[in-house]
């Protein structure tokens, strides 16, 4: 199965077995110096991906707490990790156009700052939404969830500190924005049974991973699977990979 999503092409069969949840990060064209190129999807590609799913009969829905079998309707969920300003600027108008609800997972201790957890590894600097921008996101009817205080590697830090990242971020977001924060996103998709327990204890109802796959009946709400979204490979790279017998998305 493909780990990433670019278009419905090779996902049609998989998407029939449960609810797909898609993971986006930045909605902008990929900068020349980007190191993790998969973090960037252009507005044009986002629009095309949503249009394609709608044409194929998918409805976009909020992240549910349980995934009951529903043969009558094909649902898909959209999530945006880290809280980049370009999601408000570039994605929100497209989401509106497609009547798509969306969840933004916010790094609560980094409002109005930048993606330092990536830039220390040489990634291009990206601005994160400040309070006013998050209020605007909420005013437009979209939701927020927590992505910790500082985007740490949770399995690598002491439990007490992990609890502060998980529980403290929820309280801070709820106090600041006066909305319930019921969903959590594991940084780097890193999760252990102990971390799941912390998330449960902190009062969240759902948590999302980066494990690829769709979510069917009986899906554990604290280990929700998601596909990372990638822009389509450029035609030359695609051809070169094909000729070398490599897998393409
Ligand atoms: Zn993240």
């Amino acid at each position: 199965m493909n780990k990433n999503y670019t278009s419905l092409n090779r996902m049609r069969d998989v998407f029939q077995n449960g609810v797909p949840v898609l993971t986006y990060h930045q909605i902008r064209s990929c900068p020349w110096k980007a190191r993790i190129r998969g973090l960037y999807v252009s507005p044009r590609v986002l629009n095309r991906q949503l249009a394609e799913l709608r044409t194929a009969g998918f409805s976009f829905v909020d992240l549910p707490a349980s995934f009951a079998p529903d043969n009558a309707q094909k649902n898909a969920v959209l999530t945006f990790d880290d809280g980049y300003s370009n999601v408000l600027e570039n994605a929100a108008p497209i989401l509106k156009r497609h009547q798509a609800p969306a969840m933004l997972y916010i790094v609560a201790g980094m409002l109005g700052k930048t993606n330092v957890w990536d830039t220390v590894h040489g990634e291009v600097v990206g601005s994160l939404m400040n309070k006013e921008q998050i209020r605007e996101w909420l005013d437009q009817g979209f939701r927020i969830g927590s992505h910790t205080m500082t985007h740490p590697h949770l399995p690598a830090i002491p439990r007490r500190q992990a609890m502060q990242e998980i529980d403290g971020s929820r309280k801070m977001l709820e106090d600041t924005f006066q909305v319930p924060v019921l969903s959590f996103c594991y940084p780097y998709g890193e999760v252990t049974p102990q971390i799941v327990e912390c998330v449960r204890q902190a009062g969240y109802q759902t948590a999302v991973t980066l494990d690829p796959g769709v979510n069917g009946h009986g899906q554990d709400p604290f280990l929700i699977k998601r596909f990372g979204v990638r822009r389509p490979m450029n035609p030359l790279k695609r051809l070169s990979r094909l000729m070398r017998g490599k897998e393409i998305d």
Side-chain angles (χ1 to χ4, degrees):
M1 181 180 56
N2 288 3
K3 245 182 93 199
N4 298 318
Y5 182 85
T6 51
S7 74
L8 251 187
N9 253 346
R10 293 173 65 188
M11 292 289 191
R12 266 177 222 278
D13 293 345
V14 180
F15 278 19
Q16 285 182 352
N17 301 325
V19 178
V21 181
L22 302 183
T23 311
Y24 292 88
H25 289 83
Q26 302 210 43
I27 303 301
R28 56 160 292 183
S29 56
C30 186
W32 279 108
K33 291 192 173 163
R35 300 192 66 165
I36 314 171
R37 303 184 78 81
L39 296 179
Y40 304 88
V41 170
S42 72
R44 197 169 54 89
V45 168
L46 171 68
N47 185 50
R48 196 164 69 206
Q49 288 171 333
L50 301 192
E52 182 186 44
L53 284 165
R54 273 180 68 196
T55 305
F58 282 87
S59 303
F60 300 111
V61 296
D62 276 314
L63 188 70
S66 69
F67 294 88
D70 183 354
N71 296 329
Q73 199 174 352
K74 294 192 279 185
N75 291 332
V77 178
L78 305 175
T79 62
F80 293 82
D81 287 11
D82 303 338
Y84 289 99
S85 309
N86 53 43
V87 170
L88 179 66
E89 289 150 21
N90 299 335
I94 296 169
L95 295 167
K96 286 259 164 202
R97 191 181 311 153
H98 293 286
Q99 294 163 357
M103 172 70 88
L104 183 74
Y105 287 109
I106 294 169
V107 185
M110 308 290 285
L111 306 186
K113 297 186 180 163
T114 60
N115 53 338
V116 283
W117 60 91
D118 280 339
T119 56
V120 292
H121 302 296
E123 187 52 60
V124 172
V125 174
S127 316
L128 302 169
M129 286 190 213
N130 59 27
K131 281 185 198 169
E132 289 65 39
Q133 289 171 311
I134 293 169
R135 285 202 185 97
E136 204 178 321
W137 171 261
L138 288 166
D139 286 348
Q140 292 192 37
F142 301 115
R143 295 193 184 193
I144 59 170
S146 167
H147 197 26
T148 70
M149 292 298 289
T150 64
H151 209 285
H153 291 275
L154 286 174
I157 60 177
R159 190 182 178 280
R160 183 200 287 260
Q161 197 183 335
M163 199 60 198
Q164 166 59 20
E165 289 276 352
I166 294 165
D167 192 35
S169 58
R170 185 183 63 80
K171 291 194 177 115
M172 193 196 140
L173 291 174
E174 289 190 340
D175 287 350
T176 307
F177 299 108
Q178 299 293 310
V179 292
V181 172
L182 301 173
S183 190
F184 182 79
C185 176
Y186 304 103
Y188 312 100
E190 294 170 348
V191 56
T192 64
Q194 290 77 17
I195 291 168
V196 170
E197 203 36 52
C198 288
V199 171
R200 204 189 299 267
Q201 277 178 24
Y204 292 100
Q205 292 179 354
T206 59
V208 295
T209 68
L210 289 173
D211 299 335
V214 293
N215 301 280
H217 183 53
Q219 170 63 44
D220 184 336
F222 293 96
L223 292 172
I224 292 171
K225 300 188 199 92
R226 296 189 298 168
F227 288 107
V229 181
R230 297 284 182 272
R231 67 224 167 88
M233 205 177 277
N234 86 43
L236 279 177
K237 190 169 174 193
R238 193 181 172 88
L239 183 65
S240 138
R241 284 182 73 90
L242 269 176
M243 288 171 73
R244 286 179 288 143
K246 294 209 171 165
E247 199 184 324
I248 53 167
D249 283 337

